[in-house]
Amino acid sequence: DLIGDIHGHADELVALLVQLGYREEGGTFRHPDFPRRVAVFVGDFLDRGPKILETVRLVRAMLEAGTALSVLGNHEWNAFAYHLEDPAEPGSHLRPHDPNDRNGLKNLKQHERTLNQIPADELANHLTFFRKLPIRLDLGEIRVVHACWDDEAFAVIDAALLLHGGCTDAFLVDAWKKGTPLFAAIDIVLKGKEMDLPEGACFVDKDGHRRCAARVRWFESPEGHNASTYTLPLFQDIKRHAALPVPEVVRATARPYPPDAPPVFFGHYWLDDESPTSLGPNVVCLDYSVAKGGFLCAYRWGSNQADSARGSAPLIDEGRFVSLAARKSR
């Protein structure tokens, strides 16, 4: 049962797990068909929501009990750097959060609810635990990553993890050096590929920040797309630029997801469709903006789908999506 970005919405998570057939037992949630059936999270447990502590405790209990698996999300990744001092600049951190600095203030606001809801010592303990989460899961029949499946990026990250013995402080310091192959690889996998927007096409994102780059449909070839249709999601603000081509650098570096590869599930993209649907025959985003009044989304994978995938039927069965609307009152 693959579950999208939660962002501190513990009530919705509990309700969704129950809807999927999970029950609380011995301090954790498990499915009656465990170990044949487990939950698989795409990351992003922290920030934004009203019950971040409860979310983290629930997810961690499932991970420790083996009733769930998870990949690392970019909000956990950002938190690692937020709390780790930069050895090159004593007194500062890898992810700056000086409220007097524009970028630092943005980082502080993004992480503020987590800081307010989780005691510092407990948060440090949870972040240490989350450092053990993998960048991606290849489960044979399916694949899971937070934002983008990219084998070249994985190779760079794997080599660095091997060099540093895991997600150590030294690994984090190297990974947060802007302009390096490792920094770029982490950005691709955890935050998705982006393209610079045409002049005059900057937009204000969901958090009120002005952006002049947009996330792209990395799983598709840019051929046949323009500067508007290749974004994910489609930003209304740049529809007027529909006739402009996708930048050449984006075309040259595109690595579309192979149509014969196992289905890949991810989150991250804040989709705002009224109901969940696949983005392609073997491509599924599970982030439907629960933290912005959307819904928490899951997909129930069954091993029989792997058998049917060898035929002409679509890999993804649209009837296997399960969703639960965000609670309106807090």
Side-chain angles (χ1 to χ4, degrees):
D1 297 304
L2 300 119
I3 298 175
D5 304 39
I6 303 164
H7 284 302
H9 287 71
D11 291 344
E12 287 87 341
L13 176 57
V14 169
L16 183 65
L17 287 170
V18 170
Q19 190 171 337
L20 290 167
Y22 291 74
R23 297 293 181 266
E24 191 168 9
E25 177 184 315
T28 190
F29 279 85
R30 70 180 68 232
H31 197 277
D33 290 340
F34 174 80
R36 289 198 319 114
R37 189 150 215 101
V38 297
V40 183
F41 299 110
V42 301
D44 274 9
F45 312 116
L46 304 177
D47 304 334
R48 306 192 189 283
K51 292 189 176 182
I52 301 168
L53 176 58
E54 293 87 344
T55 297
V56 169
R57 287 176 175 174
L58 187 159
V59 167
R60 180 170 176 178
M62 293 184 70
L63 294 173
E64 291 181 324
T67 62
L69 303 171
S70 183
V71 294
L72 185 67
N74 68 296
H75 278 256
E76 287 76 54
W77 175 255
N78 288 346
F80 299 160
Y82 187 99
H83 295 276
L84 184 61
E85 188 169 305
D86 186 348
E89 296 184 39
S92 64
H93 294 78
L94 294 180
R95 186 168 174 81
H97 45 271
D98 180 355
N100 297 313
D101 172 76
R102 181 179 178 182
N103 191 49
L105 180 60
K106 175 179 72 71
N107 296 337
L108 172 61
K109 286 183 175 180
Q110 184 183 79
H111 196 47
E112 194 168 25
R113 285 198 173 191
T114 299
L115 297 173
N116 291 339
Q117 294 179 38
I118 305 182
D121 289 347
E122 184 172 352
L123 177 58
N125 183 275
H126 290 310
L127 292 179
T128 298
F129 176 80
F130 286 143
R131 284 204 199 187
K132 302 173 187 176
L133 294 180
I135 290 289
R136 86 286 199 180
L137 287 169
D138 191 334
L139 302 175
E141 294 179 353
I142 60 173
R143 293 169 170 177
V144 186
V145 69
H146 183 66
C148 175
W149 190 276
D150 188 281
D151 289 327
E152 291 188 23
F154 293 148
V156 173
I157 296 168
D158 289 348
L161 287 169
L162 182 62
L163 174 66
H164 292 294
C167 190
T168 61
D169 288 358
F171 172 80
L172 288 169
V173 170
D174 271 2
W176 279 87
K177 291 178 180 176
K178 292 185 178 181
T180 65
L182 181 56
F183 181 91
I186 290 287
D187 250 24
I188 287 172
V189 170
L190 295 185
K191 302 179 182 181
K193 295 181 178 181
E194 293 188 338
M195 69 175 177
D196 292 333
L197 294 173
E199 185 175 354
C202 296
F203 65 96
V204 177
D205 70 9
K206 61 188 178 301
D207 295 318
H209 305 305
R210 187 171 183 268
R211 294 187 181 274
C212 295
R215 295 165 180 164
V216 302
R217 305 174 74 85
W218 54 269
F219 45 88
E220 293 181 359
S221 167
E223 298 304 319
H225 280 288
N226 55 51
S228 175
T229 64
Y230 200 50
T231 59
L232 181 69
L234 174 62
F235 289 112
Q236 301 298 317
D237 290 359
I238 66 171
K239 276 189 173 181
R240 63 185 183 277
H241 298 278
L244 296 176
V246 175
E248 183 55 38
V249 65
V250 176
R251 293 179 179 276
T253 57
R255 294 188 285 272
Y257 193 69
D260 59 348
V264 60
F265 294 84
F266 51 93
H268 188 63
Y269 290 92
W270 293 83
L271 301 185
D272 57 4
D273 306 59
E274 292 184 0
S275 60
T277 186
S278 61
L279 295 173
N282 61 343
V283 179
V284 177
C285 178
L286 293 168
D287 182 8
Y288 282 86
S289 309
V290 68
K292 291 292 183 181
F295 50 88
L296 189 59
C297 181
Y299 184 88
R300 304 209 72 194
W301 175 261
S303 59
N304 61 312
Q305 289 183 262
D307 296 330
S308 66
R310 299 184 182 95
S312 59
L315 291 166
I316 302 303
D317 179 351
E318 302 290 335
R320 288 178 176 261
F321 283 102
V322 180
S323 60
L324 188 134
R327 297 194 173 186
K328 301 300 182 183
S329 59
R330 293 290 175 190

